[in-house]
Amino acid sequence: MNRWTVILPGGFRKAPKKGKTRRDTGCPGRLSRSTMWSGVAFLSFLLTAVGWSIGFSSARTDQDSTALGTVDPDLVLFSPPAVSGPPSGDQSKDSGSPDKEKVRRQATGRLPDKQFPLFPSLAPNVAFWERVYSEFSHDQYVLHDRETMQVIAVVDLSHFPDIRKLRNRYLKRKKRNFRDLIGKLAKRLAQAKDVNILSSKEKRLFKALGNPSAKDCLAMTKRLRFQRGQRDRFESGLRRAGKYMARMEKIFKDRRLPKDLTLLPHVESSFDTSARSKVGASGIWQFTRGTGRLFLRINWDLDERNDPILATEAAAKLLRKNFEELRTWPLAITAYNHGLNGMKRAVRKLGTRDLSQIVRWHQGRLFGFASKNFYAEFLAARHVAKNQAKLFPGLRIDPALEFEEIKLKHYVALATLARYLGLPKKHLESLNPALASDVRRGHRHVPKGYRLRLPANPKKNWEALYKRIPAKKLYSRQKITEFTHVVRRGQTLGAIARRYRTSVWRIARRNGLRSIHSIRVGQKLIIPVSPSSAGKARSKKGKNPAAKASKPGVHTVRRGETLTSIARRYGTTVRKLVFLNRLPSPNALRIGQKLRLPH
């Protein structure tokens, strides 16, 4: 593992290897070897001397603090007095008594909600996420117990380089340190019969953790987790939501759905249209390709997941479907994250529709921390959004998005539209986020039939401006920028990408590959290339199988080719090829056969 030395004020650099020296270069912030190690020793002494005094303070500190030792008073109301795990027996039931209802109102300040109930067992989770959304900044990392959601410490990395790998390494070490401290406390608690025997440091840690038993401490060491603060991100989401919220609420109202469901994108993406997840989810509603294709167009020209309005219509349909199947909104909302079939299995397995019981008892392989907390995150985001004036004073909301639409009758380049409509290309892209990246880059045309969004301007006749585009710049078919390739033994995706002058990422995305290694011999891949590369790919004889045609207007059939792939390659149709070559059937092809191509 790399070793890092703090260099003040120059930041971080790698420590020299043992036995080697590094001369002082004279750069600002660089220290000599002896001075550096003296500084490190002095810093270590300071951290040892004052670490405990700042590590577990009893009051909420400001953003410059490195640790919060005790749970905030607002969170104590939601947390058990000791970290003793989930309640058992009759305590696990959420259909509460008047006393439980009183505690719920005192803790949350909310009235009972029949559509989106707050289960007492999920109240600590909701309170935790409220703090994450409204209190902790993007540079603060909250160390907590993943089951009880008790805050143990807050690490502030505002002084740290915003490099994920470096931060993750530091946080991993920090979590290991806390795990060791809690483990040592567990041993001391097991040996000591009286708490008063503990040292002052151990007493502070014991109090910060909620006076746990030795068994509870050991269990907690396996449940530590860091959560990054999201106040900055949530604030940006509230600002961006102003563009779409009026239209989104109307869509949900027309489908007779609770309008508060429109706040779900605060959890998914903070209303960021460019949000992408590591599993391929996209847009403000974070649809995956598989789920998105049930309601939206997702192809090489359009990805409607990135259009907030179209994606909202799809989300409304999905949530309605979930509710009709599961019959409660807590389950329907959780199914949005975990999947409808997964929640149906949980209901069938446990024989209950009580989400709090499912969260507590269901042991599904994919039912992890994110799924268990999704409904709590929604309730927290809903509460923070409804109290934004108090939590985010002075926040300016973006004005509602107003636009007009015209239906395109031809394939046309986006740059051509921007030029003849008198709009900046970037502005046109922002109004039409459903356009795929290749369309924005000019590799493909805006598809025929697409409803192009334009700024609402009563002084401009967009239809008349569109008709001014010269006929030679309007096309009846899409650009030919795709080839079909049959994978041969020994080939890799990287080699195929180099052969066609394209990228591995574009091939994987076009063919829906989950991994760049998931190709097999004989598999047919659609190879997307840029127009300039397409010409070079065709002209390279002997190197590119897509380039081998006997004569202009004639194609020689190769192993693995089909009439469909040939038609797609030359921008024609199967019917034309069958008619022109008098083929008895589209499947009547043989290797080496020469096909005439339409002009």
Side-chain angles (χ1 to χ4, degrees):
M1 181 180 292
N2 291 334
R3 295 169 295 137
W4 293 88
T5 303
V6 181
I7 306 298
L8 301 175
F12 297 84
R13 68 176 172 86
K14 200 171 181 180
K17 294 182 178 179
K18 187 176 181 180
K20 294 186 179 181
T21 60
R22 180 179 290 174
R23 294 183 179 178
D24 186 5
T25 58
C27 298
R30 297 291 179 99
L31 306 179
S32 65
R33 180 182 176 87
S34 59
T35 307
M36 178 183 67
W37 288 113
S38 300
V40 171
F42 180 69
L43 284 175
S44 301
F45 169 77
L46 284 179
L47 292 174
T48 304
V50 304
W52 283 98
S53 64
I54 67 174
F56 301 102
S57 60
S58 60
R60 184 185 300 177
T61 59
D62 57 12
Q63 292 185 357
D64 293 332
S65 65
T66 58
L68 293 180
T70 60
V71 182
D72 187 85
D74 292 338
L75 192 58
V76 172
L77 293 172
F78 304 112
S79 300
V83 186
S84 56
S88 59
D90 295 337
Q91 295 177 356
S92 65
K93 297 180 181 180
D94 285 336
S95 54
S97 61
D99 292 338
K100 288 192 175 182
E101 186 58 44
K102 183 178 179 181
V103 171
R104 185 198 320 223
R105 293 192 187 191
Q106 290 176 348
T108 64
R110 300 184 183 90
L111 294 176
D113 191 326
K114 293 183 179 179
Q115 288 182 323
F116 308 114
L118 174 60
F119 304 100
S121 62
L122 293 182
N125 303 57
V126 176
F128 172 81
W129 289 107
E130 284 180 6
R131 295 186 67 188
V132 169
Y133 292 146
S134 62
E135 179 181 341
F136 302 118
S137 70
H138 200 59
D139 287 324
Q140 291 179 307
Y141 295 80
V142 184
L143 182 68
H144 68 97
D145 186 320
R146 65 169 58 242
E147 283 192 10
T148 65
M149 307 305 285
Q150 184 178 14
V151 175
I152 299 171
V154 177
V155 180
D156 192 306
L157 296 185
S158 56
H159 62 286
F160 221 78
D162 194 8
I163 303 173
R164 177 180 296 181
K165 186 176 181 180
L166 193 60
R167 287 192 170 194
N168 287 346
R169 184 183 301 162
Y170 178 82
L171 292 173
K172 185 177 180 180
R173 185 168 65 249
K174 204 73 171 173
K175 183 165 69 173
R176 186 167 58 247
N177 293 342
F178 271 99
R179 187 183 296 117
D180 293 342
L181 288 174
I182 297 173
K184 290 178 181 178
L185 178 63
K187 292 182 180 179
R188 288 282 292 160
L189 290 174
Q191 296 172 356
K193 296 181 180 180
D194 188 358
V195 178
N196 295 325
I197 301 177
L198 299 176
S199 66
S200 58
K201 297 178 184 178
E202 291 169 341
K203 285 181 180 178
R204 282 195 293 270
L205 178 59
F206 178 72
K207 185 178 179 181
L209 297 178
N211 304 334
S213 65
K215 184 178 179 181
D216 296 332
C217 285
L218 287 176
M220 186 184 295
T221 58
K222 301 177 182 179
R223 303 195 304 254
L224 297 181
R225 178 183 179 273
F226 269 113
Q227 171 62 47
R228 193 171 193 174
Q230 297 184 28
R231 175 182 169 85
D232 323 55
R233 189 178 173 209
F234 200 95
E235 185 176 7
S236 300
L238 290 171
R239 186 183 68 252
R240 287 189 291 258
K243 293 182 181 179
Y244 317 109
M245 191 54 69
R247 290 179 182 270
M248 292 170 64
E249 289 182 349
K250 184 179 183 303
I251 290 171
F252 274 68
K253 182 180 179 181
D254 292 343
R255 286 164 175 75
R256 298 181 180 180
L257 296 172
K259 72 174 185 178
D260 284 356
L261 290 174
T262 57
L263 300 173
L264 205 53
H266 282 300
V267 178
E268 291 284 7
S269 64
S270 295
F271 282 86
D272 184 1
T273 57
S274 62
R276 306 288 185 274
S277 77
K278 60 183 180 182
V279 295
S282 184
I284 67 170
W285 287 94
Q286 288 293 282
F287 277 105
T288 59
R289 297 182 76 87
T291 305
R293 283 197 174 102
L294 298 175
F295 311 100
L296 301 164
R297 287 182 293 175
I298 304 174
N299 52 44
W300 204 240
D301 301 329
L302 299 173
D303 191 343
E304 293 181 341
R305 297 177 298 169
N306 299 327
D307 188 304
I309 308 303
L310 298 177
T312 298
E313 294 177 354
K317 294 176 184 177
L318 179 58
L319 287 167
R320 167 60 70 184
K321 180 181 178 182
N322 289 350
F323 181 74
E324 290 174 351
E325 295 276 350
L326 297 168
R327 293 185 284 177
T328 71
W329 280 117
L331 291 179
I333 291 170
T334 307
Y336 190 89
N337 174 269
H338 184 60
L340 177 59
N341 291 330
M343 291 308 299
K344 289 170 71 174
R345 281 194 297 271
V347 170
R348 187 169 58 251
K349 181 179 178 181
L350 298 178
T352 179
R353 295 184 185 276
D354 186 339
L355 179 64
S356 64
Q357 296 297 313
I358 292 175
V359 168
R360 181 188 178 195
W361 296 109
H362 186 46
Q363 300 294 327
R365 183 173 60 89
L366 300 177
F367 194 65
F369 181 84
S371 297
K372 290 180 179 180
N373 280 270
F374 193 73
Y375 179 66
E377 291 179 59
F378 165 72
L379 292 182
R382 176 174 173 245
H383 180 71
V384 173
K386 287 179 178 292
N387 293 274
Q388 58 183 277
K390 179 182 178 181
L391 296 172
F392 302 94
L395 177 65
R396 293 185 178 181
I397 306 299
D398 290 346
L401 185 65
E402 300 292 340
F403 56 83
E404 300 177 21
E405 291 182 341
I406 61 172
K407 187 175 181 179
L408 301 185
K409 300 178 182 179
H410 308 84
Y411 291 93
V412 57
L414 186 63
T416 301
L417 288 170
R419 176 183 175 186
Y420 284 92
L421 295 176
L423 295 170
K425 187 167 173 283
K426 289 291 184 182
H427 190 192
L428 209 55
E429 290 176 1
S430 66
L431 288 171
N432 297 271
L435 295 177
S437 58
D438 272 8
V439 174
R440 297 196 301 269
R441 294 170 185 166
H443 296 166
R444 294 178 71 82
H445 298 315
V446 181
K448 178 181 177 180
Y450 176 72
R451 299 191 68 84
L452 185 72
R453 289 180 188 166
L454 299 164
N457 189 343
K459 296 182 180 179
K460 283 196 174 184
N461 187 341
W462 298 115
E463 291 284 356
L465 292 174
Y466 177 73
K467 291 178 181 178
R468 291 172 56 186
I469 300 177
K472 65 180 181 180
K473 293 184 178 294
L474 301 173
Y475 304 93
S476 60
R477 60 190 181 190
Q478 187 58 275
K479 279 186 177 180
I480 308 169
T481 55
E482 292 183 349
F483 297 125
T484 300
H485 178 87
V486 180
V487 179
R488 298 180 178 178
R489 187 178 300 278
Q491 287 185 327
T492 63
L493 214 56
I496 296 171
R498 287 192 297 272
R499 195 170 192 177
Y500 288 91
R501 295 174 179 267
T502 185
S503 67
V504 170
W505 177 82
R506 293 181 70 189
I507 297 175
R509 181 185 170 197
R510 178 65 180 89
N511 294 274
L513 302 178
R514 294 187 177 182
S515 168
I516 62 173
H517 306 293
S518 60
I519 60 174
R520 62 184 185 277
V521 176
Q523 182 178 0
K524 294 179 183 178
L525 297 176
I526 299 174
I527 312 296
V529 296
S530 62
S532 58
S533 298
K536 294 176 182 178
R538 290 197 191 96
S539 64
K540 274 194 152 187
K541 294 184 180 180
K543 290 189 177 181
N544 197 323
K548 293 188 178 182
S550 305
K551 302 176 184 177
V554 177
H555 175 83
T556 303
V557 179
R558 298 181 59 83
R559 183 183 300 275
E561 287 185 324
T562 64
L563 212 59
T564 301
S565 65
I566 296 170
R568 186 186 295 116
R569 173 184 167 185
Y570 290 101
T572 185
T573 63
V574 173
R575 179 177 294 182
K576 287 183 180 180
L577 290 176
V578 170
F579 176 78
L580 190 60
N581 294 275
R582 298 181 180 180
L583 299 176
S585 166
N587 300 322
L589 289 182
R590 65 180 185 277
I591 298 174
Q593 181 180 359
K594 297 186 183 301
L595 298 178
R596 295 173 61 191
L597 303 174
H599 296 291

